[in-house]
Amino acid sequence: MLQLLDGKALSLQIKEEIANEVRQLTAQGHRPPHLAAVIVGNDGASQTYVANKEKSSHEVGFTSSVYRMPEHTTENELLEVINFLNSDPEVDGFIVQLPLPKHINEQKIINTISPDKDVDGFTPINIGRMVLSEDAFIPATPMGICTLLKRYGIETSGKHCVVIGRSNIVGTPIANLLSRKGFDCTVTICHSRTTNLPEITRQADILIVAIGKPEFVTADMVKEGAVVIDVGIHRGYRIIGDVKHSEVDRLCSWTTPVPGGVGPLTIVSLLENTMKSYKKNLQIK
Ligand code: NAP
């Protein structure tokens, strides 16, 4: 019988846990955690993401600051803001909302973020630490997927996990995380050059879909009883994912709804990473 990995409900629960901890620490006289965000330009989806991050920060008692910069901001102007945030001891973590305008070199900007404040987990240092199983900030979306699997007690050990998508922010890190000790999945990564995709995805006990194509995964691609995690978000007259839930859900043991699945956990992971940085900065165990 289909069961939902209810990201919305779980995110409310984890936010409450974070808010309780912040209340206790501030009552002891500590400053609240501080998460900052930098956004360049007027991309609608990015504005929504940053507004949601700001709202969630306030909900858990964090200080939140947003640096809104115009579309014509130069690379140097953006670097100045990043250097300022890197050196401000009262900022525990910050994110630079992607995508950046085309005239700005995205990787150069990411490489300038201090790994100790990189709560998005996008810098090469954090990605390297993650791959080496060292202490690291894990990118928020894959971290959210791991939290869903763990908190819902989904058995992963020895399972065949197929990931569709190999982006730096979702596909590649989730494939790495689930293959590591602790999750112990056998992982297959698929991408746009994969041949016989349905044949491979039908072997998945756990299917993670991060393609960016609306309702791409159909019933013929899914094994009966599979756990299906839909990372896709497509905003139209209604929000849909990368999975055609109207035909796939009847086959699944567990699935994530869209909206209300992976999305809310992504923001919560960012809060958790900020909390981790904050405690390190204040030397709180
Ligand atoms: P992306 O950077 O566009 O990567 C898409 C991946 O899918 C690429 O690796 C691409 O392969 C692969 N792909 C494209 N067409 C394919 C096909 N026909 N068959 C197999 N693989 C195919 O996307 P992303 O940033 O990972 O995001 C994926 C989706 O998740 C988007 O809808 C995005 O909006 C959503 N998202 C949601 C959250 C959240 O919080 N829920 C967070 C981030 C992203 P190649 O590498 O060969 O091009």
Side-chain angles (χ1 to χ4, degrees), residues 49 122 140-142 145 163-172 189-194 197 209-214 216 221 230-235 240-242 258 261-267:
Y49 290 136
F122 288 170
T141 302
I145 296 171
V163 179
I164 322 182
R166 56 177 167 184
S167 71
N168 289 344
I169 64 166
V170 189
T172 296
I189 305 178
C190 302
H191 45 74
S192 65
R193 300 301 173 98
T194 299
L197 184 66
V209 191
I211 319 179
K213 295 207 154 94
F216 180 90
M221 299 172 74
D230 185 355
V231 184
I233 302 179
H234 307 277
R235 290 165 212 279
I240 56 171
D242 285 349
V258 177
V262 175
L265 262 300
T266 296
I267 294 190

Side-chain angles (χ1 to χ4, degrees), residues 27-278:
Q28 290 165 17
H30 296 292
R31 67 165 173 82
H34 184 171
L35 171 63
V38 184
I39 178 165
V40 184
N42 304 311
D43 179 73
S46 295
Q47 299 281 349
T48 308
Y49 290 136
V50 169
N52 283 340
K53 286 165 190 169
E54 203 176 7
K55 181 169 164 271
S56 298
S57 293
H58 287 142
E59 281 167 2
V60 296
F62 286 10
T63 303
S64 162
S65 46
V66 180
Y67 293 75
R68 292 193 166 80
M69 306 181 73
E71 182 80 24
H72 57 76
T73 299
T74 64
E75 204 168 270
N76 280 342
E77 285 167 338
L78 181 54
L79 288 171
E80 262 175 46
V81 172
I82 291 172
N83 286 328
F84 170 75
L85 291 169
N86 279 342
S87 58
D88 184 345
E90 302 260 307
V91 171
D92 299 296
F94 67 95
I95 60 133
V96 177
Q97 184 64 44
L98 303 179
L100 291 168
K102 297 234 172 333
H103 63 277
I104 296 178
N105 181 335
E106 221 162 74
Q107 198 56 48
K108 184 172 171 190
I109 297 298
I110 291 171
N111 291 353
T112 312
I113 300 172
S114 161
D116 294 334
K117 296 195 178 189
D118 169 31
V119 285
D120 252 342
F122 288 170
T123 58
I125 297 276
N126 274 310
I127 293 169
R129 285 178 184 157
M130 177 189 76
V131 172
L132 295 170
S133 297
E134 286 181 8
D135 187 37
F137 290 121
I138 305 292
T141 302
M143 181 169 160
I145 296 171
C146 292
T147 304
L148 270 174
L149 293 172
K150 268 195 247 165
R151 293 263 192 150
Y152 274 92
I154 306 291
E155 180 60 75
T156 54
S157 180
K159 302 290 180 195
H160 185 191
C161 173
V162 175
V163 179
I164 322 182
R166 56 177 167 184
S167 71
N168 289 344
I169 64 166
V170 189
T172 296
I174 193 62
N176 173 263
L177 289 165
L178 293 182
S179 69
R180 281 165 40 175
K181 282 208 166 61
F183 286 107
D184 297 303
C185 287
T186 303
V187 178
T188 303
I189 305 178
C190 302
H191 45 74
S192 65
R193 300 301 173 98
T194 299
T195 50
N196 300 329
L197 184 66
E199 209 174 280
I200 298 168
T201 58
R202 273 198 302 271
Q203 295 170 30
D205 302 309
I206 301 172
L207 180 61
I208 300 190
V209 191
I211 319 179
K213 295 207 154 94
E215 300 193 329
F216 180 90
V217 169
T218 45
D220 59 310
M221 299 172 74
V222 178
K223 175 169 83 173
E224 190 151 5
V227 176
V228 177
I229 310 274
D230 185 355
V231 184
I233 302 179
H234 307 277
R235 290 165 212 279
Y237 72 99
R238 67 188 173 98
I239 297 177
I240 56 171
D242 285 349
V243 174
K244 193 164 189 183
H245 288 274
S246 57
E247 55 179 71
V248 168
D249 282 6
R250 68 181 165 81
L251 295 167
C252 305
S253 53
W254 293 88
T255 194
T256 51
V258 177
V262 175
L265 262 300
T266 296
I267 294 190
V268 159
S269 302
L270 195 62
L271 301 175
E272 288 182 304
N273 276 343
T274 306
M275 200 65 194
K276 174 179 163 144
S277 175
Y278 164 74

